[in-house]
Structures are given as structure tokens and as C-alpha cells.
Amino acid sequence: MAADFSEVMPAAVRMVGSLTGAREAQVGWDDEQADAWRRAVCAAADAFAEYGEGRVGGFSIGSFSVTNYRDDGTTGAEVAREAALAELAGTGLCWSGVR
């Protein structure tokens, strides 16, 4: 799992950076904001490690099949975004403009 986590960390940081406008915790943020940013990165990394960045779904090999419970046409990136936003809710860190 550690290898998976390190492989998806750049995508997680990019995801949270696109939501907050920051690719790292910033000087001037209070502890709650910095912790929320870090939790958002971890949540996004967990989602990317589990689902990847592409379409979420199942697969079949012969008579063996696996159906993913998230098979609703979504992508791993969308799942990661939802997870990150859940951690950022109420912090004022969700960025929605041009600096």
C-alpha cells in the first residue's frame, strides 16, 4: 500500500491544489485550515489508490466478475474530488477564483 500511496500523491496534491489554489499548506493558515488541507490530500490519495483516475466500475474474467459499488458512471478523479471537498468543508479554503 505504501507504494500505491506514493504513486498517487502527486495526483492528490494537484487535486487539492485545484480546489484550494495552494499546492501546500500556506503560512498564515491556522492549524485547523492546515490540518484540513492535509486531510483533503490524504482523502484524495486514498480515493486515487483505490479507484485510479479513470472510470470507476467492475470487470469480468471468464465466469469470475467483480462489481464495484461505485459503478455509476463516475471517475476516480470525481471520487477523489468529493473526498477532498468533504475534508475542506467549512474551512474557507475552497478556491473559486483567479488570483
Coordinates of all heavy atoms in Angstrom, one line a residue:
M1 N 0.8 -1.2 0.0 CA 0.0 0.0 0.0 C 0.9 1.3 0.0 O 0.5 2.2 -0.6 CB -0.9 0.0 1.2 CG -1.9 1.2 1.3 SD -3.1 1.1 0.0 CE -4.1 2.4 0.5
A2 N 2.0 1.2 0.7 CA 2.9 2.4 0.7 C 3.3 2.9 -0.7 O 3.4 4.0 -1.0 CB 4.1 2.2 1.6
A3 N 3.6 1.9 -1.6 CA 4.0 2.2 -2.9 C 2.8 2.9 -3.7 O 3.0 3.8 -4.4 CB 4.5 1.0 -3.7
D4 N 1.6 2.3 -3.5 CA 0.4 2.9 -4.1 C 0.2 4.4 -3.6 O -0.1 5.2 -4.4 CB -0.8 2.1 -3.7 CG -0.8 0.7 -4.4 OD1 -0.1 0.6 -5.4 OD2 -1.5 -0.1 -3.8
F5 N 0.4 4.6 -2.3 CA 0.2 5.9 -1.8 C 1.2 6.9 -2.4 O 0.8 8.0 -2.8 CB 0.3 5.9 -0.3 CG -0.2 7.1 0.4 CD1 -1.5 7.4 0.6 CD2 0.7 8.0 1.0 CE1 -2.0 8.5 1.2 CE2 0.3 9.1 1.6 CZ -1.1 9.4 1.8
S6 N 2.4 6.5 -2.5 CA 3.4 7.5 -3.0 C 3.2 7.7 -4.5 O 3.5 8.8 -5.0 CB 4.9 7.0 -2.8 OG 5.1 5.7 -3.5
E7 N 2.7 6.7 -5.2 CA 2.4 6.9 -6.6 C 1.2 7.8 -6.9 O 1.2 8.5 -7.9 CB 2.1 5.5 -7.3 CG 3.3 4.6 -7.4 CD 2.9 3.2 -7.9 OE1 1.8 3.0 -8.3 OE2 3.8 2.4 -7.8
V8 N 0.2 7.9 -6.0 CA -0.9 8.7 -6.2 C -0.8 10.1 -5.6 O -1.6 10.9 -5.8 CB -2.2 8.0 -5.8 CG1 -2.4 6.7 -6.6 CG2 -2.2 7.7 -4.3
M9 N 0.2 10.3 -4.7 CA 0.3 11.5 -4.0 C 0.4 12.7 -4.9 O -0.3 13.8 -4.7 CB 1.5 11.5 -3.1 CG 1.6 12.7 -2.2 SD 0.1 13.0 -1.2 CE 0.2 11.7 0.0
P10 N 1.2 12.7 -6.1 CA 1.2 13.9 -6.9 C -0.2 14.2 -7.5 O -0.6 15.4 -7.5 CB 2.1 13.5 -8.1 CG 3.0 12.5 -7.4 CD 2.1 11.7 -6.5
A11 N -1.0 13.2 -7.8 CA -2.4 13.5 -8.3 C -3.2 14.1 -7.2 O -4.0 15.0 -7.5 CB -3.0 12.2 -8.9
A12 N -3.1 13.6 -6.0 CA -3.8 14.1 -4.9 C -3.5 15.6 -4.6 O -4.4 16.4 -4.3 CB -3.6 13.2 -3.6
V13 N -2.2 15.9 -4.6 CA -1.8 17.3 -4.3 C -2.3 18.2 -5.5 O -2.8 19.3 -5.2 CB -0.3 17.4 -4.2 CG1 0.2 18.8 -4.2 CG2 0.2 16.6 -3.0
R14 N -2.3 17.7 -6.7 CA -2.8 18.5 -7.8 C -4.3 18.7 -7.6 O -4.8 19.8 -7.8 CB -2.6 17.8 -9.2 CG -1.2 18.0 -9.7 CD -1.1 17.5 -11.2 NE -1.6 16.2 -11.4 CZ -0.9 15.1 -11.3 NH1 0.3 15.1 -10.9 NH2 -1.5 13.9 -11.6
M15 N -5.0 17.7 -7.2 CA -6.5 17.8 -7.0 C -6.8 18.8 -5.9 O -7.6 19.7 -6.1 CB -7.1 16.4 -6.6 CG -8.5 16.4 -6.2 SD -9.7 16.9 -7.5 CE -9.5 15.5 -8.6
V16 N -6.2 18.7 -4.8 CA -6.4 19.6 -3.7 C -5.9 21.1 -4.0 O -6.6 22.0 -3.7 CB -5.8 19.1 -2.3 CG1 -6.0 20.2 -1.2 CG2 -6.5 17.8 -2.0
G17 N -4.8 21.1 -4.8 CA -4.4 22.4 -5.2 C -5.4 23.1 -6.1 O -5.6 24.3 -6.1
S18 N -6.0 22.3 -7.0 CA -7.0 22.9 -7.9 C -8.3 23.4 -7.1 O -8.9 24.3 -7.5 CB -7.5 21.9 -9.0 OG -8.3 20.9 -8.4
L19 N -8.5 22.8 -6.0 CA -9.7 23.2 -5.1 C -9.4 24.4 -4.2 O -10.3 25.2 -3.9 CB -10.1 22.0 -4.3 CG -10.7 20.8 -5.0 CD1 -10.9 19.6 -4.1 CD2 -12.0 21.1 -5.8
T20 N -8.1 24.5 -3.8 CA -7.8 25.5 -2.8 C -6.9 26.6 -3.4 O -6.7 27.6 -2.7 CB -7.0 24.8 -1.6 OG1 -5.8 24.3 -2.1 CG2 -7.8 23.8 -0.9
G21 N -6.3 26.4 -4.5 CA -5.4 27.4 -5.0 C -4.0 27.3 -4.4 O -3.1 28.1 -4.6
A22 N -3.8 26.2 -3.6 CA -2.5 26.0 -3.0 C -2.0 24.6 -3.1 O -2.8 23.7 -2.8 CB -2.6 26.4 -1.5
R23 N -0.8 24.4 -3.4 CA -0.2 23.0 -3.5 C 0.5 22.6 -2.3 O 1.2 21.6 -2.3 CB 0.6 22.9 -4.8 CG -0.1 23.0 -6.0 CD 0.4 22.2 -7.1 NE -0.5 22.2 -8.3 CZ -0.2 21.6 -9.4 NH1 0.8 20.9 -9.5 NH2 -1.1 21.7 -10.4
E24 N 0.4 23.4 -1.3 CA 1.0 23.0 0.1 C 0.3 23.9 1.1 O -0.3 24.9 0.7 CB 2.5 23.2 0.1 CG 2.9 24.7 -0.2 CD 4.4 24.8 -0.2 OE1 5.1 23.9 -0.6 OE2 4.9 25.9 0.1
A25 N 0.3 23.5 2.3 CA -0.3 24.3 3.4 C 0.5 25.6 3.4 O 1.7 25.7 3.3 CB -0.1 23.6 4.7
Q26 N -0.3 26.7 3.6 CA 0.3 28.0 3.5 C 0.6 28.7 4.8 O -0.2 28.5 5.8 CB -0.7 28.9 2.7 CG -1.0 28.5 1.3 CD 0.1 28.5 0.4 OE1 0.7 29.6 0.2 NE2 0.6 27.4 -0.1
V27 N 1.6 29.5 4.9 CA 1.9 30.3 6.0 C 0.7 31.3 6.2 O 0.2 31.8 5.2 CB 3.2 31.1 5.8 CG1 3.4 32.1 7.0 CG2 4.4 30.2 5.7
G28 N 0.2 31.5 7.4 CA -0.9 32.3 7.6 C -2.2 31.6 7.8 O -3.2 32.1 8.3
W29 N -2.2 30.3 7.4 CA -3.4 29.5 7.7 C -3.3 29.1 9.2 O -2.3 28.9 9.7 CB -3.4 28.2 6.9 CG -3.8 28.4 5.4 CD1 -4.1 29.5 4.8 CD2 -3.7 27.4 4.4 NE1 -4.3 29.3 3.5 CE2 -4.1 28.0 3.2 CE3 -3.5 26.0 4.5 CZ2 -4.2 27.2 2.0 CZ3 -3.6 25.3 3.3 CH2 -3.9 25.9 2.1
D30 N -4.5 29.0 9.8 CA -4.5 28.5 11.2 C -4.3 27.0 11.2 O -4.3 26.4 10.1 CB -5.7 28.9 12.0 CG -7.0 28.4 11.4 OD1 -7.1 27.3 10.8 OD2 -8.0 29.1 11.5
D31 N -4.1 26.4 12.3 CA -3.9 24.9 12.4 C -5.0 24.1 11.9 O -4.8 23.1 11.2 CB -3.6 24.5 13.9 CG -2.3 25.0 14.4 OD1 -1.4 25.4 13.6 OD2 -2.1 25.0 15.6
E32 N -6.2 24.6 12.1 CA -7.4 23.9 11.6 C -7.4 23.8 10.0 O -7.7 22.8 9.4 CB -8.7 24.5 12.1 CG -9.9 23.8 11.6 CD -11.2 24.5 12.2 OE1 -11.2 25.0 13.3 OE2 -12.2 24.5 11.4
Q33 N -7.1 25.0 9.4 CA -7.0 25.0 7.9 C -5.9 24.1 7.4 O -6.1 23.4 6.4 CB -6.8 26.4 7.5 CG -8.1 27.3 7.7 CD -7.8 28.7 7.3 OE1 -6.8 29.3 7.7 NE2 -8.7 29.3 6.6
A34 N -4.7 24.2 8.0 CA -3.6 23.4 7.5 C -3.9 21.9 7.7 O -3.6 21.1 6.8 CB -2.3 23.8 8.3
D35 N -4.5 21.5 8.8 CA -4.9 20.1 9.0 C -5.9 19.7 8.0 O -5.9 18.6 7.5 CB -5.4 19.9 10.4 CG -4.3 20.0 11.5 OD1 -3.1 19.9 11.1 OD2 -4.6 20.1 12.7
A36 N -6.9 20.5 7.7 CA -7.9 20.2 6.7 C -7.3 20.0 5.4 O -7.7 19.1 4.6 CB -9.0 21.3 6.7
W37 N -6.4 20.9 5.0 CA -5.7 20.7 3.7 C -5.0 19.4 3.6 O -5.1 18.7 2.6 CB -4.7 21.9 3.5 CG -4.1 21.9 2.1 CD1 -4.6 22.6 1.0 CD2 -2.9 21.2 1.7 NE1 -3.8 22.3 -0.1 CE2 -2.8 21.5 0.3 CE3 -2.0 20.4 2.3 CZ2 -1.7 21.0 -0.4 CZ3 -1.0 19.8 1.6 CH2 -0.8 20.1 0.2
R38 N -4.3 19.0 4.7 CA -3.6 17.7 4.7 C -4.5 16.5 4.7 O -4.3 15.6 4.0 CB -2.7 17.6 6.0 CG -1.5 18.6 5.9 CD -0.6 18.5 7.2 NE 0.3 19.5 7.2 CZ 0.2 20.6 8.0 NH1 -0.8 20.7 8.8 NH2 1.1 21.6 8.0
R39 N -5.6 16.6 5.4 CA -6.6 15.6 5.4 C -7.3 15.4 4.0 O -7.5 14.3 3.5 CB -7.7 15.8 6.4 CG -7.4 15.5 7.8 CD -8.6 15.5 8.8 NE -9.5 16.6 8.5 CZ -9.5 17.8 9.1 NH1 -8.5 18.1 10.0 NH2 -10.4 18.7 8.9
A40 N -7.5 16.6 3.3 CA -8.0 16.5 2.0 C -7.1 15.8 1.0 O -7.5 15.0 0.2 CB -8.3 18.0 1.5
V41 N -5.8 16.1 1.1 CA -4.8 15.4 0.3 C -4.8 13.9 0.6 O -4.8 13.1 -0.3 CB -3.4 16.0 0.5 CG1 -2.3 15.1 -0.2 CG2 -3.3 17.4 0.0
C42 N -4.9 13.5 1.9 CA -4.9 12.1 2.2 C -6.2 11.5 1.7 O -6.1 10.3 1.2 CB -4.8 11.9 3.7 SG -3.1 12.3 4.3
A43 N -7.3 12.1 1.8 CA -8.6 11.6 1.3 C -8.5 11.4 -0.2 O -9.0 10.4 -0.7 CB -9.7 12.5 1.7
A44 N -8.0 12.4 -0.9 CA -7.9 12.2 -2.4 C -6.9 11.1 -2.7 O -7.2 10.3 -3.6 CB -7.4 13.6 -3.0
A45 N -5.8 11.0 -2.0 CA -4.8 9.9 -2.3 C -5.5 8.6 -2.0 O -5.3 7.6 -2.8 CB -3.6 10.1 -1.4
D46 N -6.3 8.4 -1.0 CA -6.9 7.2 -0.7 C -7.9 6.8 -1.9 O -7.9 5.7 -2.3 CB -7.8 7.2 0.6 CG -6.9 7.2 1.8 OD1 -5.7 6.8 1.7 OD2 -7.4 7.5 2.9
A47 N -8.6 7.8 -2.4 CA -9.5 7.5 -3.5 C -8.8 7.2 -4.7 O -9.1 6.2 -5.4 CB -10.4 8.8 -3.7
F48 N -7.7 7.9 -5.0 CA -6.9 7.5 -6.2 C -6.3 6.2 -6.1 O -6.2 5.4 -7.1 CB -5.8 8.6 -6.5 CG -6.3 9.9 -7.1 CD1 -6.0 11.1 -6.6 CD2 -7.2 9.8 -8.2 CE1 -6.4 12.3 -7.2 CE2 -7.6 11.0 -8.8 CZ -7.3 12.2 -8.3
A49 N -5.8 5.8 -4.9 CA -5.2 4.5 -4.7 C -6.2 3.4 -4.9 O -5.9 2.3 -5.4 CB -4.6 4.4 -3.3
E50 N -7.4 3.6 -4.5 CA -8.5 2.6 -4.6 C -9.1 2.5 -6.0 O -9.3 1.4 -6.5 CB -9.6 2.9 -3.6 CG -10.7 1.8 -3.6 CD -11.7 1.9 -2.5 OE1 -11.5 2.7 -1.6 OE2 -12.7 1.2 -2.6
Y51 N -9.3 3.7 -6.7 CA -10.0 3.7 -7.9 C -9.2 4.1 -9.1 O -9.7 3.9 -10.3 CB -11.2 4.7 -7.8 CG -12.2 4.4 -6.8 CD1 -12.3 5.2 -5.6 CD2 -13.0 3.3 -6.9 CE1 -13.2 4.9 -4.6 CE2 -13.9 2.9 -5.9 CZ -14.0 3.7 -4.8 OH -15.0 3.4 -3.8
G52 N -8.0 4.7 -8.9 CA -7.3 5.2 -10.1 C -7.9 6.6 -10.5 O -8.7 7.1 -9.7
E53 N -7.5 7.1 -11.6 CA -8.1 8.3 -12.1 C -9.2 8.2 -13.1 O -10.0 9.1 -13.4 CB -7.0 9.2 -12.6 CG -6.0 9.7 -11.6 CD -5.0 10.7 -12.1 OE1 -5.4 11.7 -12.6 OE2 -3.8 10.4 -12.0
G54 N -9.3 7.0 -13.7 CA -10.3 6.7 -14.7 C -11.6 6.3 -14.2 O -11.9 6.5 -13.0
R55 N -12.4 5.7 -15.1 CA -13.8 5.3 -14.8 C -13.8 4.3 -13.7 O -13.0 3.3 -13.7 CB -14.4 4.8 -16.0 CG -15.9 4.5 -15.8 CD -16.7 4.5 -17.1 NE -18.1 4.5 -16.8 CZ -18.9 3.5 -17.0 NH1 -18.4 2.4 -17.5 NH2 -20.1 3.6 -16.6
V56 N -14.7 4.4 -12.8 CA -14.9 3.5 -11.7 C -15.9 2.5 -12.1 O -16.9 2.8 -12.7 CB -15.4 4.3 -10.4 CG1 -15.8 3.3 -9.3 CG2 -14.4 5.3 -10.0
G57 N -15.6 1.2 -11.9 CA -16.5 0.1 -12.2 C -16.0 -1.2 -11.9 O -15.1 -1.4 -11.1
G58 N -16.6 -2.2 -12.5 CA -16.2 -3.6 -12.3 C -15.5 -4.2 -13.5 O -15.2 -3.6 -14.5
F59 N -15.2 -5.5 -13.4 CA -14.6 -6.2 -14.5 C -15.0 -7.7 -14.5 O -15.5 -8.2 -13.4 CB -13.1 -6.1 -14.5 CG -12.4 -6.7 -13.3 CD1 -12.0 -8.0 -13.3 CD2 -12.3 -6.0 -12.1 CE1 -11.4 -8.6 -12.2 CE2 -11.7 -6.6 -11.0 CZ -11.2 -7.9 -11.1
S60 N -14.9 -8.4 -15.6 CA -15.1 -9.8 -15.6 C -14.0 -10.6 -16.3 O -13.5 -10.0 -17.3 CB -16.4 -10.1 -16.4 OG -17.5 -9.5 -15.8
I61 N -13.7 -11.7 -15.8 CA -12.7 -12.6 -16.5 C -13.3 -14.0 -16.5 O -13.5 -14.6 -15.4 CB -11.3 -12.7 -15.7 CG1 -10.7 -11.3 -15.6 CG2 -10.4 -13.6 -16.4 CD1 -9.5 -11.2 -14.7
G62 N -13.8 -14.4 -17.6 CA -14.5 -15.7 -17.7 C -15.8 -15.6 -16.9 O -16.6 -14.7 -17.0
S63 N -16.0 -16.6 -16.0 CA -17.2 -16.6 -15.2 C -17.0 -15.8 -13.9 O -17.9 -15.6 -13.1 CB -17.6 -18.0 -14.9 OG -16.6 -18.7 -14.1
F64 N -15.8 -15.3 -13.6 CA -15.5 -14.5 -12.4 C -15.7 -13.1 -12.7 O -15.3 -12.5 -13.7 CB -14.0 -14.7 -12.0 CG -13.6 -13.9 -10.8 CD1 -14.0 -14.3 -9.5 CD2 -12.9 -12.8 -11.0 CE1 -13.6 -13.6 -8.4 CE2 -12.5 -12.0 -9.9 CZ -12.9 -12.4 -8.6
S65 N -16.5 -12.4 -11.9 CA -16.8 -11.0 -12.1 C -16.7 -10.3 -10.8 O -17.0 -10.8 -9.7 CB -18.1 -10.7 -12.8 OG -19.2 -11.1 -11.9
V66 N -16.3 -9.0 -10.8 CA -16.3 -8.1 -9.7 C -17.0 -6.9 -10.1 O -16.7 -6.3 -11.1 CB -14.8 -7.8 -9.3 CG1 -14.8 -6.7 -8.2 CG2 -14.0 -9.0 -8.9
T67 N -18.0 -6.5 -9.3 CA -18.7 -5.3 -9.5 C -18.4 -4.3 -8.4 O -18.5 -4.6 -7.2 CB -20.2 -5.5 -9.5 OG1 -20.5 -6.5 -10.5 CG2 -21.0 -4.3 -9.8
N68 N -17.9 -3.1 -8.8 CA -17.6 -2.1 -7.8 C -18.8 -1.4 -7.4 O -19.6 -1.0 -8.3 CB -16.5 -1.1 -8.4 CG -15.9 -0.2 -7.4 OD1 -16.6 0.4 -6.6 ND2 -14.6 -0.2 -7.5
Y69 N -19.0 -1.1 -6.1 CA -20.2 -0.5 -5.6 C -20.3 1.0 -6.1 O -21.4 1.6 -6.0 CB -20.3 -0.5 -4.1 CG -19.2 0.2 -3.4 CD1 -19.3 1.6 -3.1 CD2 -18.0 -0.4 -3.1 CE1 -18.3 2.2 -2.4 CE2 -17.0 0.2 -2.5 CZ -17.1 1.6 -2.1 OH -16.1 2.2 -1.5
R70 N -19.3 1.6 -6.7 CA -19.3 2.9 -7.2 C -19.5 3.0 -8.6 O -19.3 4.0 -9.3 CB -17.9 3.6 -6.9 CG -17.6 3.9 -5.4 CD -18.5 5.0 -4.8 NE -18.5 6.2 -5.6 CZ -18.5 7.4 -5.2 NH1 -18.5 7.6 -3.9 NH2 -18.6 8.4 -6.0
D71 N -20.0 1.9 -9.3 CA -20.2 1.9 -10.7 C -21.4 2.7 -11.1 O -22.5 2.1 -11.4 CB -20.3 0.5 -11.2 CG -20.3 0.4 -12.7 OD1 -19.9 1.4 -13.4 OD2 -20.6 -0.7 -13.3
D72 N -21.3 4.0 -11.1 CA -22.4 4.8 -11.5 C -22.0 5.8 -12.6 O -22.5 6.9 -12.7 CB -23.0 5.6 -10.3 CG -22.0 6.4 -9.5 OD1 -20.8 6.4 -9.9 OD2 -22.4 7.0 -8.5
G73 N -21.0 5.4 -13.4 CA -20.5 6.3 -14.5 C -19.5 7.4 -14.0 O -19.2 8.2 -14.8
T74 N -19.1 7.3 -12.8 CA -18.2 8.3 -12.3 C -16.7 7.9 -12.5 O -16.5 6.8 -13.0 CB -18.5 8.6 -10.8 OG1 -17.8 9.7 -10.3 CG2 -18.0 7.4 -9.9
T75 N -15.8 8.8 -12.2 CA -14.4 8.5 -12.4 C -13.7 8.6 -11.0 O -14.3 9.2 -10.0 CB -13.7 9.5 -13.3 OG1 -13.8 10.8 -12.7 CG2 -14.4 9.5 -14.7
G76 N -12.5 8.0 -10.9 CA -11.8 8.1 -9.7 C -11.4 9.5 -9.3 O -11.4 9.9 -8.1
A77 N -11.2 10.4 -10.3 CA -11.0 11.8 -10.1 C -12.2 12.4 -9.4 O -12.0 13.3 -8.5 CB -10.6 12.5 -11.3
E78 N -13.4 12.1 -9.8 CA -14.6 12.7 -9.2 C -14.7 12.2 -7.8 O -15.1 12.9 -6.9 CB -15.8 12.3 -10.0 CG -15.9 13.0 -11.3 CD -16.9 12.5 -12.3 OE1 -17.4 11.4 -12.1 OE2 -17.3 13.3 -13.1
V79 N -14.4 10.9 -7.5 CA -14.5 10.4 -6.1 C -13.4 11.1 -5.3 O -13.7 11.5 -4.1 CB -14.3 8.8 -6.1 CG1 -14.2 8.3 -4.7 CG2 -15.3 8.1 -6.9
A80 N -12.2 11.3 -5.8 CA -11.2 12.0 -5.0 C -11.6 13.4 -4.8 O -11.4 13.9 -3.6 CB -9.9 11.9 -5.8
R81 N -12.2 14.1 -5.7 CA -12.7 15.5 -5.5 C -13.7 15.5 -4.4 O -13.7 16.4 -3.6 CB -13.2 16.0 -6.8 CG -13.6 17.5 -6.8 CD -14.1 17.9 -8.2 NE -14.3 19.3 -8.2 CZ -15.4 20.0 -7.9 NH1 -16.4 19.2 -7.4 NH2 -15.5 21.3 -7.9
E82 N -14.7 14.6 -4.5 CA -15.7 14.6 -3.4 C -15.1 14.4 -2.0 O -15.5 15.0 -1.1 CB -16.7 13.4 -3.7 CG -17.6 13.7 -4.9 CD -18.4 12.4 -5.2 OE1 -18.5 11.5 -4.4 OE2 -19.0 12.4 -6.3
A83 N -14.1 13.5 -2.0 CA -13.5 13.2 -0.7 C -12.7 14.4 -0.2 O -12.8 14.7 1.0 CB -12.6 12.0 -0.8
A84 N -12.0 15.0 -1.1 CA -11.2 16.2 -0.7 C -12.2 17.4 -0.2 O -11.9 18.0 0.8 CB -10.4 16.7 -1.8
L85 N -13.2 17.6 -1.0 CA -14.2 18.6 -0.6 C -14.8 18.4 0.7 O -15.1 19.3 1.5 CB -15.3 18.8 -1.7 CG -14.8 19.5 -3.0 CD1 -15.9 19.4 -4.0 CD2 -14.5 21.0 -2.7
A86 N -15.1 17.1 1.1 CA -15.7 16.8 2.4 C -14.7 17.2 3.5 O -15.2 17.7 4.5 CB -16.0 15.3 2.4
E87 N -13.4 17.1 3.3 CA -12.5 17.5 4.3 C -12.3 19.0 4.4 O -12.0 19.5 5.4 CB -11.1 16.8 4.1 CG -11.1 15.3 4.2 CD -11.5 14.8 5.6 OE1 -11.3 15.6 6.6 OE2 -11.9 13.7 5.7
L88 N -12.5 19.7 3.3 CA -12.3 21.1 3.2 C -13.6 21.9 3.6 O -13.5 23.1 3.8 CB -11.9 21.5 1.8 CG -10.6 21.0 1.3 CD1 -10.4 21.3 -0.1 CD2 -9.4 21.6 2.1
A89 N -14.7 21.2 3.7 CA -16.0 21.9 4.1 C -15.9 22.7 5.3 O -15.4 22.3 6.3 CB -17.1 20.9 4.2
G90 N -16.3 24.0 5.2 CA -16.3 24.8 6.4 C -15.0 25.5 6.7 O -15.0 26.3 7.7
T91 N -14.0 25.3 6.0 CA -12.7 25.9 6.3 C -12.4 27.2 5.6 O -11.5 27.9 5.9 CB -11.5 24.9 5.9 OG1 -11.5 24.7 4.5 CG2 -11.7 23.6 6.6
G92 N -13.2 27.5 4.5 CA -12.9 28.7 3.7 C -11.8 28.5 2.7 O -11.4 29.4 2.1
L93 N -11.3 27.3 2.6 CA -10.2 27.0 1.7 C -10.6 26.7 0.3 O -9.7 26.7 -0.6 CB -9.3 25.9 2.2 CG -8.6 26.1 3.5 CD1 -7.8 24.9 4.0 CD2 -7.7 27.3 3.4
C94 N -11.8 26.4 0.0 CA -12.2 26.0 -1.4 C -12.1 27.3 -2.2 O -12.8 28.3 -2.0 CB -13.6 25.5 -1.4 SG -13.7 23.9 -0.6
W95 N -11.2 27.2 -3.2 CA -10.9 28.3 -4.0 C -11.8 28.4 -5.2 O -12.0 27.4 -5.9 CB -9.4 28.1 -4.4 CG -8.8 29.3 -5.2 CD1 -8.6 30.5 -4.8 CD2 -8.3 29.2 -6.5 NE1 -7.9 31.2 -5.7 CE2 -7.8 30.4 -6.8 CE3 -8.2 28.2 -7.5 CZ2 -7.2 30.7 -8.1 CZ3 -7.7 28.5 -8.7 CH2 -7.1 29.8 -9.0
S96 N -12.3 29.6 -5.5 CA -13.2 29.7 -6.7 C -13.0 30.9 -7.5 O -13.9 31.5 -8.0 CB -14.7 29.7 -6.2 OG -14.9 30.8 -5.3
G97 N -11.8 31.3 -7.7 CA -11.5 32.5 -8.5 C -10.1 32.5 -9.0 O -9.3 31.6 -8.9
V98 N -9.8 33.6 -9.7 CA -8.5 33.8 -10.2 C -7.7 34.8 -9.3 O -8.2 35.8 -8.9 CB -8.6 34.4 -11.6 CG1 -7.2 34.7 -12.2 CG2 -9.4 33.5 -12.5
R99 N -6.5 34.4 -9.0 CA -5.7 35.3 -8.2 C -4.8 36.2 -9.0 O -4.4 36.0 -10.0 CB -4.7 34.5 -7.3 CG -5.5 33.8 -6.2 CD -4.6 33.1 -5.3 NE -5.4 32.4 -4.3 CZ -4.9 31.8 -3.3 NH1 -3.6 31.8 -3.0 NH2 -5.6 31.2 -2.4

